[in-house]
C-alpha cells in the first residue's frame, strides 16, 4: 500500500492483502485524496441503483422548485402595475431582476463550485432561494420586491452552475444522459408550473399569497434536496484560474461562429420572455377580459417544449444544426405574426407556434455552442447562458416601452426585428468553418 493512500502501514505481514473494496472504502474516508483514474469510473452511480434514483429525485425537485420561484412573477405583472401604479416596462422588472441576478452570478458560482464543492453550493443555493422567495410576499413596496427578486436570481445561480458538473462527476457515463434529461425536464416543468400556479392562486387570493406558496414549495424542495442528494465522491477542489478563464473567453469571442450563437441566445430568450410578459396585459383588456387563471393556462403551451426539442434534434441528426436552426427561427417569426390577428384562437395558435420555434431553436443553439468549443464546453455554455438570461432581463423590460407606445403591433414589430436579427446571425454562423465535423453536430 502506498503511503499517499493515508492508510496505516501494517506492522506485520498479512497472509492476504486487503480487498479492492476495502481499499476503496478507506480512500473514500479521506475526501481530499485523489482517486485514481482506474477506480473512479467503477464507483460512479449506475442507472437503476438506489443512489442513482436519489440523485434523479433530488435534481428534478431542485430544478423544478428553482425555476418555479424564478418565473412565478411573470403572470403577476398586471397586478404589480395596478397595486404599485407602474407602467408595464417597470412592472416587468419583477421578472428581469431575477434573470439578471442569475445571469451575472452563473460564472462566479461555477468558480465557487470548483473551489468549495458542488453539493454544498447547490444545497445552500436552494435553501436561500426558498427563504428569499417566501420573504418577498411581505414586501412593503416594489423596490423591496425588486431587491429580493435580484437576490433570488443570485441564489438560484448556484444550482445550474454546479448541476452539470455534479452529474458528470458522480453518474456513470452511460446514465448521464438520462440524469441530465430529468434535471432539464424539472427546470422546464418548474418554469411552467410556477407561472400557472401563481396565476391560479391570485384568481382567488392575492399575489402575496402566490409568492408565499412558491416560497413554501421551495422550502419543501430544499428539505428533500438536502435529504436525498448523495454526497460527492469524485469532486476535486480546484483553484480559480481567472487569467485562464479570461483567455479562453477571449478565444471564444474570436471564433467565427460562437459570437453569433451567443447573440442568438441573447435575442432568443429576450424575445420569448417579452412575448409572455405582455401577453397578459393584452388578454386582461378588452375585448378578451380573461381572468388570471385563464391567462395562467396559456403557459401550459410550454409542454410543447419537449416535443419541439426532440423534433429539432431529429432534424439536426439528419440535416445538421446549421441547416435547421434558421428554419426554427422562421417558425418563431411566423408565430409572432399570427398573434397580430384578433381572434383568440389565432392568438393562441401563434403563441403555440412561437413557443415551439423557441424551444427548438434554443436546443439547437445551445448544443451547437458546446460543439464549437470542445476544449472548454462548460465555459462556452456559461457564456451562452449569461447572454440568454441577460436577454430576458434587458429585452424583456425594453419591450415594455414598445407595448406602451404601440400596443401589441408595436411589441410584435420589435420582436420581429429581434427574430430577423437572429435569422441573420444563424446564417452567418452557418458559414463558419466546422470545428468537429460530424453529421449530427453540424
Amino acid at each position: 500500500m502506498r503511503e499517499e493512500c493515508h492508510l496505516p502501514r501494517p506492522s506485520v505481514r498479512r497472509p492476504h492483502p486487503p480487498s479492492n473494496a476495502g481499499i476503496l472504502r478507506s480512500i473514500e474516508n479521506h475526501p481530499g485524496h485523489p482517486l485514481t483514474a482506474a477506480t473512479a469510473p467503477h464507483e460512479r452511480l449506475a442507472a437503476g441503483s438506489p443512489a442513482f434514483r436519489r440523485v434523479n429525485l433530488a435534481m428534478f425537485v431542485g430544478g423544478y422548485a428553482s425555476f418555479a420561484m424564478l418565473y412565478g412573477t411573470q403572470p403577476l405583472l398586471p397586478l404589480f402595475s395596478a397595486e404599485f401604479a407602474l407602467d408595464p416596462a417597470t412592472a416587468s422588472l419583477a421578472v428581469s431582476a431575477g434573470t439578471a441576478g442569475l445571469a451575472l452570478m452563473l460564472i462566479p458560482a461555477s468558480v465557487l463550485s470548483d473551489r468549495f464543492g458542488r453539493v454544498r453550493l447547490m444545497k445552500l443555493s436552494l435553501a436561500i432561494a426558498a427563504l428569499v422567495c417566501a420573504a418577498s410576499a411581505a414586501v412593503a413596496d416594489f423596490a423591496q420586491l425588486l431587491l429580493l427578486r435580484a437576490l433570488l436570481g443570485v441564489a438560484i445561480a448556484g444550482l445550474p452552475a454546479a448541476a452539470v458538473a455534479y452529474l458528470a462527476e458522480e453518474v456513470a457515463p452511460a446514465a448521464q444522459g438520462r440524469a441530465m434529461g430529468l434535471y432539464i425536464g424539472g427546470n422546464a416543468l418548474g418554469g411552467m408550473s410556477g407561472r400557472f400556479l401563481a396565476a391560479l392562486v391570485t384568481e382567488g387570493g392575492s399575489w402575496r399569497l402566490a409568492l408565499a406558496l412558491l416560497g413554501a414549495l421551495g422550502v419543501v424542495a430544499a428539505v428533500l434536496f438536502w435529504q436525498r442528494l448523495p454526497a460527492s465522491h469524485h469532486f476535486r477542489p480546484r483553484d480559480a484560474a481567472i487569467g485562464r478563464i479570461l483567455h479562453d473567453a477571449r478565444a471564444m469571442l474570436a471564433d467565427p461562429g460562437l459570437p453569433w450563437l451567443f447573440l442568438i441566445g441573447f435575442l432568443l430568450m429576450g424575445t420569448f420572455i417579452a412575448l409572455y410578459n405582455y401577453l397578459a396585459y393584452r388578454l386582461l383588456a378588452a375585448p378578451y377580459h380573461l381572468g388570471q387563471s385563464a391567462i395562467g393556462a396559456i403557459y401550459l403551451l410550454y409542454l410543447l417544449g419537449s416535443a419541439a426539442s426532440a423534433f429539432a434534434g431529429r432534424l439536426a441528426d439528419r440535416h445538421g444544426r446549421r441547416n435547421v436552426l434558421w428554419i426554427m427561427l422562421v417558425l418563431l417569426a411566423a408565430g409572432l405574426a399570427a398573434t397580430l390577428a384578433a381572434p383568440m384562437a389565432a392568438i393562441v395558435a401563434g403563441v403555440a407556434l412561437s413557443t415551439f420555434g423557441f424551444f427548438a431553436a434554443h436546443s439547437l443553439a445551445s448544443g451547437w455552442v458546446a460543439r464549437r468549443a470542445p476544449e472548454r464546453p462548460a465555459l462556452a455554455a456559461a457564456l451562452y447562458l449569461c447572454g440568454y438570461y441577460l436577454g430576458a432581463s434587458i429585452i424583456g423590460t425594453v419591450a415594455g416601452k414598445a407595448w406602451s407606445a404601440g400596443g401589441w403591433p408595436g411589441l410584435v414589430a420589435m420582436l420581429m426585428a429581434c427574430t430577423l436579427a437572429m435569422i441573420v446571425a444563424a446564417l452567418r454562423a452557418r458559414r463558419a468553418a466546422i470545428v468537429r465535423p460530424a453529421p449530427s453536430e453540424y
Side-chain angles (χ1 to χ4, degrees):
M1 186 71 66
R2 296 181 181 272
E3 291 184 4
E4 61 264 29
C5 289
H6 303 293
L7 296 178
R9 186 185 298 275
S11 55
V12 297
R13 295 180 59 87
R14 297 178 185 273
H16 301 288
S19 66
N20 288 340
I23 294 175
L24 288 174
R25 281 194 298 270
S26 299
I27 294 175
E28 287 175 358
N29 290 331
H30 297 79
H33 187 284
L35 288 172
T36 67
T39 59
H42 299 293
E43 291 297 302
R44 289 177 180 169
L45 307 179
S49 67
F52 179 75
R53 289 193 290 269
R54 288 173 58 200
V55 166
N56 284 340
L57 174 62
M59 298 305 294
F60 180 87
V61 167
Y64 178 94
S66 294
F67 285 88
M69 292 186 289
L70 182 66
Y71 289 118
T73 53
Q74 192 170 43
L76 310 180
L77 300 184
L79 301 180
F80 296 147
S81 289
E83 179 161 340
F84 298 112
L86 305 171
D87 61 74
T90 304
S92 72
L93 292 172
V95 176
S96 298
T99 54
L102 172 58
L104 296 175
M105 193 60 189
L106 271 173
I107 293 179
S110 67
V111 173
L112 291 175
S113 166
D114 284 343
R115 182 67 183 89
F116 298 107
R118 323 292 187 201
V119 172
R120 181 186 305 175
L121 180 65
M122 290 190 291
K123 287 181 175 180
L124 288 176
S125 294
L126 189 55
I128 293 171
L131 296 177
V132 171
C133 184
S136 64
V139 296
D141 53 39
F142 191 65
Q144 292 181 7
L145 179 64
L146 291 186
L147 175 61
L148 290 179
R149 296 304 297 178
L151 290 176
L152 175 72
V154 168
I156 284 175
L159 190 67
V164 175
Y166 172 82
L167 293 175
E169 291 168 350
E170 304 302 325
V171 175
Q176 285 178 11
R178 189 182 312 179
M180 184 60 66
L182 283 171
Y183 167 65
I184 293 175
N187 293 349
L189 186 61
M192 180 194 74
S193 301
R195 294 168 168 102
F196 177 70
L197 291 174
L200 192 64
V201 169
T202 55
E203 183 77 17
S206 69
W207 63 265
R208 294 180 185 274
L209 177 61
L211 293 182
L213 288 178
L214 288 175
L217 173 67
V219 170
V220 172
V223 171
L224 281 172
F225 194 82
W226 278 67
Q227 291 179 339
R228 297 295 180 180
L229 188 69
S232 292
H233 293 290
H234 301 274
F235 168 71
R236 304 292 168 264
R238 291 187 292 272
D239 291 330
I242 303 299
R244 178 64 184 272
I245 292 174
L246 293 176
H247 175 271
D248 290 344
R250 286 193 297 268
M252 290 174 190
L253 293 177
D255 179 86
L258 283 175
W260 297 111
L261 296 173
F262 295 154
L263 176 62
I264 289 172
F266 176 86
L267 295 172
L268 186 62
M269 186 56 164
T271 298
F272 188 63
I273 285 291
L275 173 65
Y276 277 92
N277 272 358
Y278 305 105
L279 181 64
Y281 286 94
R282 184 186 185 189
L283 298 181
L284 281 170
Y288 309 105
H289 298 294
L290 296 187
Q292 284 293 131
S293 59
I295 291 174
I298 298 291
Y299 294 104
L300 296 178
L301 292 173
Y302 273 56
L303 292 172
L304 292 170
S306 55
S309 299
F311 175 75
R314 288 194 297 271
L315 284 182
D317 288 342
R318 186 177 304 169
H319 304 290
R321 288 184 178 90
R322 61 178 56 228
N323 297 316
V324 178
L325 176 57
W326 70 271
I327 298 175
M328 298 300 107
L329 294 171
V330 169
L331 290 182
L332 172 59
L336 289 173
T339 64
L340 290 169
M344 187 67 192
I347 295 173
V348 173
V351 172
L353 186 57
S354 293
T355 301
F356 187 95
F358 163 78
F359 279 106
H362 173 48
S363 66
L364 293 169
S366 58
W368 196 351
V369 163
R371 295 298 187 181
R372 284 208 66 88
E375 299 301 322
R376 291 297 299 272
L379 178 59
L383 290 173
Y384 175 83
L385 289 176
C386 282
Y388 182 80
Y389 288 112
L390 281 177
S393 301
I394 296 172
I395 298 175
T397 294
V398 172
K401 300 298 183 182
W403 159 258
S404 296
W408 193 255
L411 174 68
V412 170
M414 175 183 170
L415 301 186
M416 286 290 285
C418 291
T419 306
L420 290 175
M422 284 188 276
I423 293 173
V424 171
L427 294 175
R428 292 296 299 269
R430 186 172 182 263
R431 294 164 53 188
I434 294 175
V435 175
R436 298 175 67 187
S440 65
E441 295 173 10
Y442 293 98

